[in-house]
Amino acid sequence: RNDGVGCVFEGLMRILCAIGAAGVLLTGCTCGGGRIGDTIDYGDDFFPDTWKHPDAVWQVGTMRSDATIRVRKESNTRFLELLHADRVVESEAYEVTTEQIALVHWWDESERFEPPIPLLKFPMTLPSNWEWKGKHRIGSRALDAEAKVSAAKETLDLATGTTETVKITVTLTTKDGSGTEKERTLTFWFAPGEGPVRREYGLGQVREPRSETENSSGDQS
């Protein structure tokens, strides 16, 4: 009978749905970028041409404001500009090649690094650590600087979802020429297929994604 065939088909569908649900429970669900293995390479696309999270939160200390992100490309350099009230308030630049992703400048073009500080190397295993030495240019001054860099996997909870990332911690020491050293911590979270989805300078200077419906608390113009 047709009714019997229909019942059998419906029963099979229920079984398949149950198996699928069990698979989700067993393997878990990670939204956002792809999975990260113990080894990463250039093909994981840690800085895509198209920026997937243009809506952002810009935080400085206790101030949190809505912002947008604009990315432009010049040769191997990607400029990531943070806009608030239609004005660029912070700018980051990264050198992207098949060998590495390196930091050219941080919050403003007036503070740049020569050579750029490697943040990701291709290929590389996780976790990894390395050191950098070079010049920290601040305006017209070229100061001696060095950095300790560490890379490790970290699952990040963002407004846009849970994302597997490579967390990069840069402990930067700059010598001002008078014997005084200034230490800063720069932290970046890279997700495959999404790029540097979050970054933090020191304590409280943050850029991260914002959902389209989110309105940051404490917004100030």
Side-chain angles (χ1 to χ4, degrees):
R1 292 175 55 186
N2 291 337
D3 288 346
V5 173
C7 289
V8 171
F9 178 77
E10 184 178 359
L12 287 172
M13 291 302 294
R14 288 177 179 174
I15 292 171
L16 290 173
C17 289
I19 293 173
V24 170
L25 289 174
L26 289 172
T27 60
C29 176
T30 300
C31 304
R35 295 281 183 177
I36 297 176
D38 293 332
T39 302
I40 62 173
D41 59 33
Y42 179 75
D44 291 319
D45 197 15
F46 280 97
F47 212 122
D49 290 333
T50 302
W51 191 255
K52 296 188 176 181
H53 304 295
D55 297 308
V57 172
W58 173 47
Q59 179 176 335
V60 180
T62 59
M63 184 200 77
R64 286 174 60 87
S65 297
D66 291 346
T68 56
I69 291 183
R70 178 174 66 197
V71 177
R72 56 187 176 89
K73 181 179 179 181
E74 295 182 8
S75 187
N76 291 331
T77 304
R78 311 285 177 87
F79 296 87
L80 199 158
E81 298 172 333
L82 192 66
L83 290 84
H84 175 65
D86 297 323
R87 180 174 63 91
V88 176
V89 291
E90 290 186 10
S91 172
E92 309 158 38
Y94 302 84
E95 180 186 76
V96 181
T97 69
T98 56
E99 289 79 29
Q100 65 178 13
I101 295 177
L103 181 66
V104 177
H105 74 245
W106 59 320
W107 66 279
D108 185 88
E109 290 189 41
S110 65
E111 291 208 30
R112 57 198 184 279
F113 304 102
E114 297 178 357
I117 302 174
L119 302 180
L120 293 176
K121 299 181 179 183
F122 305 123
M124 63 179 282
T125 58
L126 298 173
S128 286
N129 299 275
W130 60 88
E131 296 183 355
W132 169 90
K133 288 186 178 181
K135 296 293 184 181
H136 182 181
R137 289 191 173 271
I138 304 175
S140 60
R141 296 186 300 164
L143 306 177
D144 291 332
E146 56 187 39
K148 294 182 178 180
V149 186
S150 65
K153 290 189 286 186
E154 181 171 290
T155 300
L156 196 61
D157 290 325
L158 300 169
T160 51
T162 301
T163 304
E164 286 195 4
T165 70
V166 179
K167 179 182 179 181
I168 308 296
T169 303
V170 179
T171 303
L172 174 69
T173 302
T174 302
K175 303 175 183 179
D176 68 0
S178 65
T180 301
E181 297 183 349
K182 185 171 184 178
E183 186 175 288
R184 299 181 178 93
T185 300
L186 316 178
T187 312
F188 306 83
W189 289 261
F190 283 83
E194 298 185 55
V197 290
R198 188 181 195 272
R199 64 101 177 109
E200 181 174 351
Y201 303 148
L203 297 174
Q205 193 171 349
V206 177
R207 173 203 35 91
E208 64 183 7
R210 168 175 56 91
S211 66
E212 293 182 0
T213 58
E214 179 185 1
N215 183 22
S216 300
S217 60
D219 187 37
Q220 301 175 16
S221 299

